Amino acid sequence: MGTSVVSVAVTQRRRVTIVLILNMSMIAGLLVAGHFAHSLSLVAEGGDFLADSLALALGLLAIYLRDRHRNEKATTWVALVNALWLLVLSVGVAASAIQRLVSGSPEVHGLPVLVASAIAAAVMLCAALILGADAGREDLHMRSILLDTIADGVAAAVVAIVGAVLAVAQRWFWLDAAAALLVSTLIAVAALRLLRDVVRALRAGIAYVPEDD
């Protein structure tokens, strides 16, 4: 049993580190492509990847504290920080998207949006496979990482579809702001679900392990 727990802890650190590297590899590309393509949805993706990278880095620290100092609640507190930060990010993106929808969107270059988002979706699929389907049952922190990764992959796929439409149609640029609004909604939903689980854990005074939804 002890060997199994140590093995899980080691593989958690390894998987989170790999996912962190994958997230960081996408940030600059998404932000730069978003800037030159005038795409708010790409910028939103880049901001989400940045937020996730910060959360993952904090998560590695939490795993260290849990395993080396027996601080079982460390991952729960990091999950709380992650949830709150994602909520702030979602509100900021939603506000910018609504402003564009109301005032009018500038011309958005669809091809960079398609390429960058398709790559991001593929990277997040790889990250989800690395984490594994059972990651959601290990502890709250691993579940938060898996949920974030899946949400990011879905959002990137949606933005890629929007990019393809814009590249072909060369109009309907408001779709980019609508996609950014969808990204912010997905981020908010994942954050609220995570926040719900964190509150349950803190009320119970334990390192909460989520039940099946």
Side-chain angles (χ1 to χ4, degrees):
M1 176 67 75
T3 302
S4 177
V5 172
V6 172
S7 176
V8 170
V10 171
T11 189
Q12 278 188 355
R13 290 194 295 271
R14 184 180 299 121
R15 283 177 290 156
V16 173
T17 299
I18 294 173
V19 173
L20 172 59
I21 293 171
L22 290 175
N23 270 268
M24 292 179 64
S25 70
M26 292 302 304
I27 296 171
L30 288 169
L31 292 177
V32 171
H35 173 74
F36 285 104
H38 306 139
S39 171
L40 180 60
S41 59
L42 276 187
V43 172
E45 279 189 67
D48 187 24
F49 275 60
L50 176 59
D52 288 347
S53 295
L54 294 174
L56 288 167
L58 287 173
L60 285 174
L61 175 61
I63 291 173
Y64 171 82
L65 292 174
R66 181 197 65 192
D67 298 338
R68 295 297 179 87
H69 301 284
R70 298 294 185 266
N71 189 341
E72 295 294 336
K73 294 183 182 179
T75 54
T76 302
W77 286 109
V78 168
L80 174 61
V81 173
N82 191 14
L84 294 176
W85 174 245
L86 288 174
L87 281 176
V88 171
L89 177 65
S90 66
V91 170
V93 172
S96 298
I98 292 172
Q99 181 180 11
R100 276 199 176 191
L101 288 171
V102 171
S103 62
S105 175
E107 179 180 355
V108 178
H109 305 297
L111 185 58
V113 177
L114 168 60
V115 172
S117 291
I119 293 174
V123 169
M124 287 299 96
L125 174 60
C126 291
L129 293 175
I130 289 169
L131 290 171
D134 291 335
R137 298 179 181 275
E138 292 176 21
D139 59 41
L140 183 59
H141 177 237
M142 291 301 291
R143 187 191 189 199
S144 74
I145 294 175
L146 183 61
L147 286 175
D148 286 349
T149 301
I150 293 172
D152 289 347
V154 171
V158 171
V159 174
I161 293 172
V162 169
V165 171
L166 294 179
V168 173
Q170 297 293 316
R171 53 180 176 171
W172 304 326
F173 301 122
W174 59 268
L175 286 173
D176 180 71
L181 191 58
L182 176 61
V183 170
S184 70
T185 301
L186 291 174
I187 295 171
V189 169
L192 289 173
R193 291 183 62 186
L194 176 58
L195 190 59
R196 175 200 64 187
D197 289 341
V198 170
V199 170
R200 287 178 180 174
L202 294 178
R203 284 182 175 178
I206 59 174
Y208 181 71
V209 179
E211 301 174 355
D212 293 336
D213 287 333

